[in-house]
Amino acid sequence: ENTFVAGIGFTQPIFMGGKILELYRIASLGEQLASLGYENSKINLLIQVDEAYWRAVSLQAKQKLALEYRALLQTTSENVATLFEQGFATKADVLKVKVKLNEAEMTLTKAENGLKLAKMMLNQICGMPLDTDYELSEVAKSDLSEVSLEDNIGKMTLMRPEAKMLDLKVALAESEVRIARSRFMPNIVASGNYLLSKHAHNIAKMEREEALEKLELQANMMQFKRNEAFKQEILSQNNLENAQENLSHAQLSFEEGIISAADLMEAQTAWVSAKSDNIDAQINTMLSKLYLEQSLGKIKVK
């Protein structure tokens, strides 16, 4: 009576087949995997922002082009109206110019609406109010130098977050194999579980090799596309210079009465088309450079 006995005990794992160490390693790998996934998400977001930005820049350039084209046709319309009053142009000539001018007005309206929507999309991606307005930069002068194919392109793709994530997934599968081995090797039932984990590890390694081959193939494709884009921009620039020269000659010839208003409008249309193609080529060059840097793991975000 009135006698109390207290006791305390503890269990200290001396050796558990490496399970504790592997569980700690799995936790660490999982943390690294989450960090790389976050980094990859930021890179993808950056790509989305750049795509939206260059889309808006393209539409801004085409809006200005539409304004230039309308101004050309307005001048042509005034000149043809004067010639009609003087008896040097027909009513059909006047109507043809008016039709072209109406088409130019519609094109300008579409360009303005497209630019507004493009800015709204860019604002939405950047987390800004949709009605935020601003003046975008002009289309930058591209680096029109051909990209030489990288000899160590396979090693460069290993710097991509996706490649690093594949390595971590293989390491996770390897840790699961070790845990299964240390826990269940002594009994037959659990041996089946170990073999199953081993199979999952092999699958992870094969999936990694296949995915790395695809990343390397993608990088090679992006290099070819980059070179195609810069060649296309050079061609479009040459076409634009020819179209501008042709338009200048056509305007002089029209003023001297050598060609008709229809011939002048044909030169104007060719110039607008060449200018629009050149804008598209410049934007394509910028985007192809962006995609190439992404495929080679050169895009870094803080």
Side-chain angles (χ1 to χ4, degrees), residues 71-83 94 97-98 101:
L72 281 175
L73 286 172
Q74 285 174 336
T75 301
T76 303
S77 179
E78 293 168 2
N79 292 337
V80 171
T82 301
L83 290 173
V94 175
V97 178
K98 284 186 176 181
L101 185 56

Side-chain angles (χ1 to χ4, degrees), residues 101-128:
L101 185 56
N102 289 336
E103 291 176 354
E105 290 284 359
M106 182 59 66
T107 300
L108 176 60
T109 300
K110 290 180 179 179
E112 289 173 341
N113 291 337
L115 178 57
K116 289 177 182 177
L117 288 174
K119 285 184 176 181
M120 290 174 70
M121 184 177 294
L122 180 58
N123 292 337
Q124 189 271 327
I125 295 175
C126 294
M128 299 188 298

Side-chain angles (χ1 to χ4, degrees), residues 184-200:
F184 299 119
M185 278 295 285
N187 67 70
I188 297 174
V189 175
S191 295
N193 190 18
Y194 164 70
L195 292 175
L196 180 63
S197 298
K198 187 71 173 177
H199 184 60

Side-chain angles (χ1 to χ4, degrees), residues 216-229:
E216 185 174 349
L217 176 61
Q218 183 190 49
N220 279 291
M221 289 176 60
M222 289 304 105
Q223 288 189 120
F224 291 131
K225 286 183 178 294
R226 170 70 176 83
N227 286 334
E228 288 175 5

Side-chain angles (χ1 to χ4, degrees), residues 29 62 83 104 106 113 141 191 194 200 211 248 264 274 296-297 300:
L29 291 172
K62 290 191 176 183
L83 290 173
M106 182 59 66
N113 291 337
K141 188 68 176 178
S191 295
Y194 164 70
S248 297
L264 174 60
L296 295 176
K300 306 296 180 184

Side-chain angles (χ1 to χ4, degrees), residues 39-59:
E39 179 185 351
N40 196 44
S41 297
K42 289 194 291 184
I43 290 175
N44 289 333
L45 178 59
L46 180 63
I47 297 296
Q48 287 182 347
V49 171
D50 274 14
E51 288 173 338
Y53 173 78
W54 288 117
R55 188 182 304 115
V57 169
S58 172
L59 288 168

